[in-house]
């Protein structure tokens, strides 16, 4: 089946540890996005990438890092510099300039 | 970056009622989408509508790009319509996307 997968669904980490969230798509989409959602809030853009080996900071990039070495993969690392990392993280992708964005199921990260 | 405001923030409807959700943009956007987030957090595409009007069953959307707003109409609402509705605008050459604050809809039987 074509789609976007995020793993794991739930993730628990100790404070001070880096953690990497996976996002994979087999839709052959060029663009990929990472968002953060806090309870009762909207989505805020962390990083986005239009092509392989290129990405841009979104509105809340501090404390996060990404890579885009392959078209189908856009992993997000939440570093220890992120002051309040507990949140729901959503990944999305789309084909090109004039196209719909499709979302993965999300990863709920809890830092203890 | 652009600012996106949605109204109303909360809406409670009796099943069968109609509603209109609004999305205002502070600046021009070259693409616009409406999404529904279900109680499990999954975002579902509703409309990709940079301008004009589209309809899909009981839902329709209209975007007036020159006046920087978009409307989502829900007719004959059902309990399964409950959730949060977001609009999102894309701007700039890198297609940076900005989401609105959302409208939380509850449809009661």
């Amino acid at each position: 089946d074509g789609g976007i997968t995020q793993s794991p669904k739930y993730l628990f980490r100790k404070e001070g540890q880096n953690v990497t969230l996976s996002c994979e798509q087999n839709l052959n989409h060029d663009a990929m996005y990472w968002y953060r959602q806090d309870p009762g809030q909207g989505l805020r853009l962390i990083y986005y990438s239009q092509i392989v080996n290129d990405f841009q900071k979104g509105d809340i990039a501090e404390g996060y890092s990404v890579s885009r070495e392959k078209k189908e993969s856009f992993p997000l690392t939440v570093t220890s510099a992120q002051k309040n990392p507990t949140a729901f993280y959503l990944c999305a992708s789309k084909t090109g300039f004039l196209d719909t964005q499709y979302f993965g199921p999300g990863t709920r990260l809890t830092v203890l | 970056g652009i600012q996106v405001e949605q109204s109303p923030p909360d809406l409670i409807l009796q099943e069968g009622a109609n509603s209109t959700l609004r999305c205002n943009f502070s600046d021009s956007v070259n693409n616009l989408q409406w999404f529904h987030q279900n109680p499990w957090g999954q975002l579902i595409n509703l409309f990709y509508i940079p301008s004009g009007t589209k309809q899909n069953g009981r839902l329709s959307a209209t975007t007036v790009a020159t006046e920087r707003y978009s409307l989502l109409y829900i007719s004959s609402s059902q309990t399964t319509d409950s959730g949060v509705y977001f609009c999102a605008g894309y701007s700039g050459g890198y297609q940076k996307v900005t989401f609105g604050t959302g409208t939380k809809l509850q449809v009661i039987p």
Side-chain angles (χ1 to χ4, degrees):
Chain A
D1 280 353
I4 303 172
T5 57
Q6 292 186 244
S7 61
K9 191 171 182 178
Y10 298 94
L11 188 56
F12 298 88
R13 279 294 182 268
K14 291 183 179 179
E15 194 172 348
Q17 290 182 336
N18 291 357
V19 59
T20 298
L21 280 58
S22 167
C23 179
E24 304 278 332
Q25 53 97 2
N26 59 5
L27 300 167
N28 200 33
H29 285 175
D30 292 311
M32 296 186 76
Y33 299 78
W34 272 108
Y35 299 89
R36 170 183 173 135
Q37 188 177 31
D38 294 289
Q41 304 295 314
L43 278 70
R44 291 185 290 168
L45 183 64
I46 305 173
Y47 271 98
Y48 59 115
S49 168
Q50 297 298 320
I51 57 172
V52 174
N53 293 323
D54 188 35
F55 47 83
Q56 284 72 44
K57 291 182 179 180
D59 298 312
I60 57 164
E62 186 174 348
Y64 300 98
S65 66
V66 293
S67 63
R68 187 83 188 277
E69 297 176 1
K70 298 186 294 183
K71 188 175 185 178
E72 58 270 23
S73 178
F74 192 39
L76 174 75
T77 297
V78 184
T79 74
S80 56
Q82 169 50 234
K83 291 182 172 39
N84 187 16
T86 295
F88 185 44
Y89 290 88
L90 287 153
C91 177
S93 70
K94 72 185 184 81
T95 298
F97 197 84
L98 297 175
D99 193 27
T100 301
Q101 194 170 160
Y102 296 91
F103 279 82
T107 293
R108 294 190 186 275
L109 173 64
T110 302
V111 175
L112 306 170
Chain B
I2 62 170
Q3 307 297 317
V4 182
E5 290 186 3
Q6 289 187 244
S7 60
D10 296 281
L11 187 58
I12 299 175
L13 293 177
Q14 199 78 40
E15 199 169 21
N18 303 329
S19 63
T20 300
L21 282 58
R22 186 177 177 105
C23 181
N24 289 331
F25 293 87
S26 62
D27 205 344
S28 298
V29 295
N30 44 42
N31 292 314
L32 189 150
Q33 276 189 266
W34 282 95
F35 296 91
H36 175 224
Q37 188 170 38
N38 66 23
W40 297 273
Q42 179 73 49
L43 274 104
I44 309 298
N45 300 300
L46 297 177
F47 293 101
Y48 167 77
I49 184 165
S51 64
T53 298
K54 289 186 178 180
Q55 180 152 9
N56 184 5
R58 297 181 295 103
L59 302 181
S60 64
T62 295
T63 296
V64 183
T66 53
E67 297 187 23
R68 302 200 293 265
Y69 73 89
S70 184
L71 303 173
L72 178 70
Y73 306 96
I74 304 174
S75 65
S76 304
S77 58
Q78 301 176 358
T79 55
T80 52
D81 294 332
S82 297
V84 184
Y85 290 81
F86 291 103
C87 63
Y90 301 79
S91 59
Y94 282 109
Q95 286 284 280
K96 183 181 178 185
V97 58
T98 302
F99 272 72
T101 49
T103 292
K104 185 174 181 180
L105 173 65
Q106 184 180 357
V107 180
I108 55 178

